[in-house]
Amino acid sequence: MVLKYEFYINAGKEEVWNALISPEGTRSSFVGCELRSNFQPGQPFAYVGPGNDGPETVHVYGEILEFEPLSRLGYREHPGPSYHSNHAEQHSRVLFQLETVGECTKLTLSNDEFTDNYPSIANAQNSWWMILSSIKTWVETGKTINFGW
């Protein structure tokens, strides 16, 4: 299964990239989480924020696969330990790509390579729409969307 989403954001690649990797950007768009990583391929990353385990809950973690500033961010991810006891066995691949289109930025997200019986696929299908909508709103207006999470 491949989940693929395309959003056109009325901003430059720098602003959209900032929403994907900066603490301020990810807190605004990824359910209050910060993306923590040195962004070197082969190195770990984690989305950390309020949740089941308190303010430092690891929601998603894994390994950076590719990092091309203002262009591509790819990683292999696992659901956080507080969500599934077999979290280390479950994974998928996520790839964000940015492309300039006219005076805006096209943000494409692909989520694929799910392990068999991936426990969070339905959640991913629903959540990516909300996260990408949040990125678009935050970049274009500076405001966040409150989904009641």
Side-chain angles (χ1 to χ4, degrees):
M1 169 177 275
V2 176
L3 304 178
K4 186 173 181 179
Y5 308 87
E6 296 176 335
F7 272 65
Y8 291 85
I9 302 172
N10 191 24
K13 287 165 83 172
E14 297 82 7
E15 291 86 2
V16 178
W17 188 253
N18 184 51
L20 293 176
I21 67 162
S22 76
E24 178 184 55
T26 59
R27 275 194 309 269
S28 297
S29 305
F30 290 81
V31 292
C33 292
E34 289 183 10
L35 173 55
R36 298 182 182 169
S37 179
N38 68 8
F39 299 108
Q40 298 300 310
Q43 294 298 305
F45 80 91
Y47 284 95
V48 179
N52 294 346
D53 299 328
E56 292 288 307
T57 298
V58 175
H59 292 272
V60 175
Y61 72 97
E63 172 187 348
I64 298 291
L65 298 174
E66 56 184 297
F67 184 81
E68 297 174 33
L70 305 179
S71 181
R72 296 167 68 88
L73 169 62
Y75 53 77
R76 178 144 342 274
E77 60 85 27
H78 305 274
S82 69
Y83 296 104
H84 303 283
S85 60
N86 65 340
H87 59 91
E89 300 165 16
Q90 303 295 326
H91 63 81
S92 72
R93 180 180 66 167
V94 175
L95 176 63
F96 295 96
Q97 298 176 86
L98 302 183
E99 176 185 348
T100 299
V101 177
E103 295 183 4
C104 68
T105 299
K106 178 182 176 184
L107 170 60
T108 302
L109 168 78
S110 300
N111 190 187
D112 61 5
E113 298 183 7
F114 292 93
T115 52
D116 290 339
N117 300 315
Y118 188 82
S120 302
I121 198 161
N123 186 45
Q125 288 175 305
N126 294 324
S127 298
W128 280 130
W129 286 111
M130 291 186 243
I131 290 169
L132 293 167
S133 294
S134 291
I135 290 169
K136 179 174 172 57
T137 298
W138 186 73
V139 170
E140 291 180 346
T141 70
K143 297 178 182 176
T144 60
I145 298 175
N146 183 348
F147 291 111
W149 290 334

Short mmCIF file of all heavy atoms in Angstrom, two decimals, residues 98-131:
data_model
loop_
_atom_site.label_atom_id
_atom_site.label_comp_id
_atom_site.label_asym_id
_atom_site.label_seq_id
_atom_site.Cartn_x
_atom_site.Cartn_y
_atom_site.Cartn_z
N LEU A 98 9.81 18.52 -1.81
CA LEU A 98 9.40 19.88 -2.11
C LEU A 98 9.79 20.23 -3.53
O LEU A 98 10.88 19.88 -3.99
CB LEU A 98 10.07 20.88 -1.16
CG LEU A 98 9.85 20.68 0.33
CD1 LEU A 98 10.54 21.80 1.11
CD2 LEU A 98 8.38 20.62 0.67
N GLU A 99 8.91 20.95 -4.20
CA GLU A 99 9.15 21.38 -5.58
C GLU A 99 8.54 22.76 -5.76
O GLU A 99 7.40 23.00 -5.34
CB GLU A 99 8.50 20.37 -6.52
CG GLU A 99 8.56 20.69 -7.97
CD GLU A 99 7.78 19.67 -8.80
OE1 GLU A 99 7.39 18.61 -8.28
OE2 GLU A 99 7.54 19.98 -9.98
N THR A 100 9.27 23.67 -6.38
CA THR A 100 8.73 24.98 -6.68
C THR A 100 7.80 24.86 -7.88
O THR A 100 8.17 24.29 -8.91
CB THR A 100 9.85 25.98 -6.98
OG1 THR A 100 10.68 26.09 -5.82
CG2 THR A 100 9.29 27.36 -7.33
N VAL A 101 6.60 25.41 -7.74
CA VAL A 101 5.63 25.45 -8.82
C VAL A 101 5.13 26.88 -8.89
O VAL A 101 4.42 27.34 -7.99
CB VAL A 101 4.46 24.48 -8.58
CG1 VAL A 101 3.42 24.60 -9.69
CG2 VAL A 101 4.95 23.04 -8.46
N GLY A 102 5.55 27.61 -9.92
CA GLY A 102 5.20 29.02 -10.01
C GLY A 102 5.76 29.76 -8.81
O GLY A 102 6.96 29.70 -8.54
N GLU A 103 4.89 30.40 -8.06
CA GLU A 103 5.30 31.13 -6.86
C GLU A 103 4.94 30.39 -5.58
O GLU A 103 4.96 30.97 -4.50
CB GLU A 103 4.68 32.52 -6.86
CG GLU A 103 5.18 33.39 -8.00
CD GLU A 103 4.61 34.80 -7.97
OE1 GLU A 103 3.88 35.15 -7.01
OE2 GLU A 103 4.89 35.54 -8.92
N CYS A 104 4.61 29.10 -5.70
CA CYS A 104 4.26 28.33 -4.51
C CYS A 104 5.15 27.09 -4.43
O CYS A 104 6.02 26.87 -5.27
CB CYS A 104 2.78 27.95 -4.52
SG CYS A 104 2.29 26.77 -5.78
N THR A 105 4.93 26.29 -3.40
CA THR A 105 5.68 25.06 -3.20
C THR A 105 4.72 23.88 -3.19
O THR A 105 3.71 23.90 -2.49
CB THR A 105 6.45 25.11 -1.86
OG1 THR A 105 7.36 26.20 -1.90
CG2 THR A 105 7.22 23.82 -1.62
N LYS A 106 5.06 22.88 -3.98
CA LYS A 106 4.31 21.63 -3.97
C LYS A 106 4.99 20.71 -2.95
O LYS A 106 6.17 20.42 -3.05
CB LYS A 106 4.33 20.98 -5.35
CG LYS A 106 3.62 19.65 -5.41
CD LYS A 106 3.75 19.07 -6.82
CE LYS A 106 3.14 17.71 -6.93
NZ LYS A 106 3.36 17.15 -8.29
N LEU A 107 4.22 20.29 -1.96
CA LEU A 107 4.68 19.35 -0.93
C LEU A 107 4.04 18.00 -1.24
O LEU A 107 2.81 17.89 -1.26
CB LEU A 107 4.27 19.83 0.46
CG LEU A 107 4.47 18.84 1.61
CD1 LEU A 107 5.92 18.43 1.77
CD2 LEU A 107 3.93 19.43 2.91
N THR A 108 4.88 17.02 -1.51
CA THR A 108 4.39 15.66 -1.76
C THR A 108 4.86 14.77 -0.61
O THR A 108 6.03 14.79 -0.25
CB THR A 108 4.94 15.10 -3.09
OG1 THR A 108 4.55 15.97 -4.16
CG2 THR A 108 4.41 13.70 -3.36
N LEU A 109 3.94 14.01 -0.06
CA LEU A 109 4.25 13.05 0.99
C LEU A 109 3.90 11.67 0.47
O LEU A 109 2.79 11.45 -0.02
CB LEU A 109 3.44 13.33 2.25
CG LEU A 109 3.49 12.20 3.28
CD1 LEU A 109 4.78 12.24 4.04
CD2 LEU A 109 2.32 12.23 4.20
N SER A 110 4.85 10.75 0.58
CA SER A 110 4.61 9.34 0.28
C SER A 110 4.90 8.54 1.54
O SER A 110 5.91 8.77 2.21
CB SER A 110 5.53 8.85 -0.83
OG SER A 110 5.33 9.59 -2.01
N ASN A 111 3.99 7.64 1.86
CA ASN A 111 4.17 6.75 3.01
C ASN A 111 3.91 5.33 2.50
O ASN A 111 2.80 5.02 2.06
CB ASN A 111 3.18 7.15 4.10
CG ASN A 111 3.40 6.47 5.44
OD1 ASN A 111 2.58 6.65 6.33
ND2 ASN A 111 4.44 5.72 5.64
N ASP A 112 4.96 4.48 2.52
CA ASP A 112 4.84 3.15 1.94
C ASP A 112 5.74 2.17 2.68
O ASP A 112 6.22 2.47 3.77
CB ASP A 112 5.16 3.18 0.44
CG ASP A 112 6.58 3.64 0.13
OD1 ASP A 112 7.39 3.86 1.05
OD2 ASP A 112 6.87 3.81 -1.07
N GLU A 113 5.95 1.02 2.07
CA GLU A 113 6.77 -0.05 2.65
C GLU A 113 6.32 -0.42 4.07
O GLU A 113 7.14 -0.64 4.97
CB GLU A 113 8.26 0.31 2.62
CG GLU A 113 8.79 0.48 1.21
CD GLU A 113 10.28 0.77 1.14
OE1 GLU A 113 10.98 0.70 2.18
OE2 GLU A 113 10.75 1.05 0.02
N PHE A 114 5.02 -0.52 4.24
CA PHE A 114 4.46 -0.92 5.53
C PHE A 114 4.73 -2.40 5.78
O PHE A 114 4.60 -3.22 4.87
CB PHE A 114 2.94 -0.70 5.55
CG PHE A 114 2.53 0.73 5.51
CD1 PHE A 114 2.26 1.37 4.31
CD2 PHE A 114 2.39 1.46 6.69
CE1 PHE A 114 1.87 2.70 4.26
CE2 PHE A 114 1.99 2.79 6.65
CZ PHE A 114 1.74 3.40 5.45
N THR A 115 5.12 -2.73 7.00
CA THR A 115 5.25 -4.14 7.36
C THR A 115 3.86 -4.77 7.35
O THR A 115 2.84 -4.08 7.47
CB THR A 115 5.89 -4.31 8.75
OG1 THR A 115 5.18 -3.51 9.70
CG2 THR A 115 7.35 -3.92 8.74
N ASP A 116 3.81 -6.10 7.20
CA ASP A 116 2.53 -6.81 7.23
C ASP A 116 1.83 -6.54 8.56
O ASP A 116 2.46 -6.47 9.61
CB ASP A 116 2.75 -8.31 7.08
CG ASP A 116 3.21 -8.69 5.68
OD1 ASP A 116 2.97 -7.90 4.74
OD2 ASP A 116 3.81 -9.77 5.55
N ASN A 117 0.54 -6.35 8.48
CA ASN A 117 -0.30 -6.09 9.66
C ASN A 117 0.16 -4.86 10.43
O ASN A 117 0.08 -4.82 11.66
CB ASN A 117 -0.32 -7.32 10.59
CG ASN A 117 -0.88 -8.53 9.89
OD1 ASN A 117 -1.90 -8.43 9.20
ND2 ASN A 117 -0.22 -9.66 10.03
N TYR A 118 0.63 -3.85 9.71
CA TYR A 118 1.05 -2.60 10.36
C TYR A 118 -0.12 -2.07 11.18
O TYR A 118 -1.21 -1.84 10.64
CB TYR A 118 1.48 -1.59 9.29
CG TYR A 118 2.10 -0.34 9.85
CD1 TYR A 118 3.44 -0.32 10.20
CD2 TYR A 118 1.36 0.83 10.00
CE1 TYR A 118 4.03 0.84 10.70
CE2 TYR A 118 1.94 1.98 10.50
CZ TYR A 118 3.27 1.97 10.85
OH TYR A 118 3.85 3.11 11.34
N PRO A 119 0.06 -1.86 12.48
CA PRO A 119 -1.07 -1.55 13.36
C PRO A 119 -1.63 -0.14 13.21
O PRO A 119 -2.75 0.11 13.64
CB PRO A 119 -0.48 -1.73 14.76
CG PRO A 119 0.97 -1.45 14.59
CD PRO A 119 1.31 -1.96 13.22
N SER A 120 -0.88 0.77 12.62
CA SER A 120 -1.33 2.17 12.60
C SER A 120 -1.67 2.68 11.21
O SER A 120 -1.73 3.88 10.99
CB SER A 120 -0.24 3.07 13.20
OG SER A 120 0.06 2.65 14.51
N ILE A 121 -1.92 1.80 10.25
CA ILE A 121 -2.14 2.26 8.89
C ILE A 121 -3.42 3.09 8.76
O ILE A 121 -3.44 4.12 8.09
CB ILE A 121 -2.12 1.10 7.86
CG1 ILE A 121 -1.90 1.66 6.47
CG2 ILE A 121 -3.33 0.24 7.95
CD1 ILE A 121 -1.41 0.65 5.47
N ALA A 122 -4.49 2.69 9.44
CA ALA A 122 -5.73 3.48 9.39
C ALA A 122 -5.50 4.85 10.02
O ALA A 122 -5.98 5.87 9.50
CB ALA A 122 -6.86 2.74 10.09
N ASN A 123 -4.76 4.87 11.11
CA ASN A 123 -4.43 6.14 11.75
C ASN A 123 -3.60 7.02 10.82
O ASN A 123 -3.82 8.22 10.71
CB ASN A 123 -3.68 5.88 13.06
CG ASN A 123 -3.46 7.15 13.84
OD1 ASN A 123 -4.35 7.97 13.99
ND2 ASN A 123 -2.24 7.32 14.34
N ALA A 124 -2.63 6.42 10.12
CA ALA A 124 -1.80 7.18 9.18
C ALA A 124 -2.65 7.76 8.07
O ALA A 124 -2.49 8.93 7.70
CB ALA A 124 -0.70 6.29 8.61
N GLN A 125 -3.56 6.97 7.52
CA GLN A 125 -4.42 7.45 6.43
C GLN A 125 -5.20 8.68 6.84
O GLN A 125 -5.35 9.62 6.06
CB GLN A 125 -5.40 6.35 6.00
CG GLN A 125 -4.74 5.23 5.24
CD GLN A 125 -5.70 4.11 4.93
OE1 GLN A 125 -6.34 3.57 5.84
NE2 GLN A 125 -5.80 3.75 3.68
N ASN A 126 -5.69 8.72 8.06
CA ASN A 126 -6.46 9.87 8.55
C ASN A 126 -5.57 11.01 9.01
O ASN A 126 -5.85 12.17 8.74
CB ASN A 126 -7.38 9.44 9.69
CG ASN A 126 -8.45 8.48 9.24
OD1 ASN A 126 -8.96 8.59 8.12
ND2 ASN A 126 -8.78 7.52 10.07
N SER A 127 -4.50 10.68 9.72
CA SER A 127 -3.66 11.72 10.32
C SER A 127 -2.87 12.53 9.31
O SER A 127 -2.66 13.73 9.51
CB SER A 127 -2.69 11.10 11.33
OG SER A 127 -3.40 10.50 12.38
N TRP A 128 -2.40 11.92 8.23
CA TRP A 128 -1.61 12.68 7.26
C TRP A 128 -2.40 13.85 6.69
O TRP A 128 -1.85 14.93 6.50
CB TRP A 128 -1.08 11.79 6.14
CG TRP A 128 0.13 10.99 6.50
CD1 TRP A 128 0.31 9.65 6.32
CD2 TRP A 128 1.35 11.47 7.08
NE1 TRP A 128 1.55 9.27 6.77
CE2 TRP A 128 2.21 10.37 7.24
CE3 TRP A 128 1.79 12.72 7.49
CZ2 TRP A 128 3.50 10.47 7.77
CZ3 TRP A 128 3.07 12.84 8.04
CH2 TRP A 128 3.90 11.73 8.18
N TRP A 129 -3.70 13.68 6.43
CA TRP A 129 -4.51 14.80 5.93
C TRP A 129 -4.48 15.96 6.91
O TRP A 129 -4.33 17.12 6.52
CB TRP A 129 -5.96 14.38 5.68
CG TRP A 129 -6.14 13.53 4.48
CD1 TRP A 129 -6.48 12.21 4.46
CD2 TRP A 129 -5.98 13.93 3.12
NE1 TRP A 129 -6.54 11.77 3.17
CE2 TRP A 129 -6.25 12.80 2.32
CE3 TRP A 129 -5.64 15.13 2.49
CZ2 TRP A 129 -6.19 12.83 0.92
CZ3 TRP A 129 -5.58 15.16 1.11
CH2 TRP A 129 -5.85 14.03 0.33
N MET A 130 -4.61 15.66 8.18
CA MET A 130 -4.64 16.70 9.20
C MET A 130 -3.27 17.35 9.36
O MET A 130 -3.16 18.57 9.46
CB MET A 130 -5.13 16.13 10.53
CG MET A 130 -6.58 15.76 10.51
SD MET A 130 -7.16 15.26 12.13
CE MET A 130 -7.59 13.58 11.80
N ILE A 131 -2.21 16.55 9.39
CA ILE A 131 -0.86 17.09 9.54
C ILE A 131 -0.50 17.98 8.35
O ILE A 131 0.02 19.10 8.53
CB ILE A 131 0.16 15.95 9.74
CG1 ILE A 131 -0.04 15.31 11.12
CG2 ILE A 131 1.60 16.45 9.56
CD1 ILE A 131 0.70 14.02 11.33
#
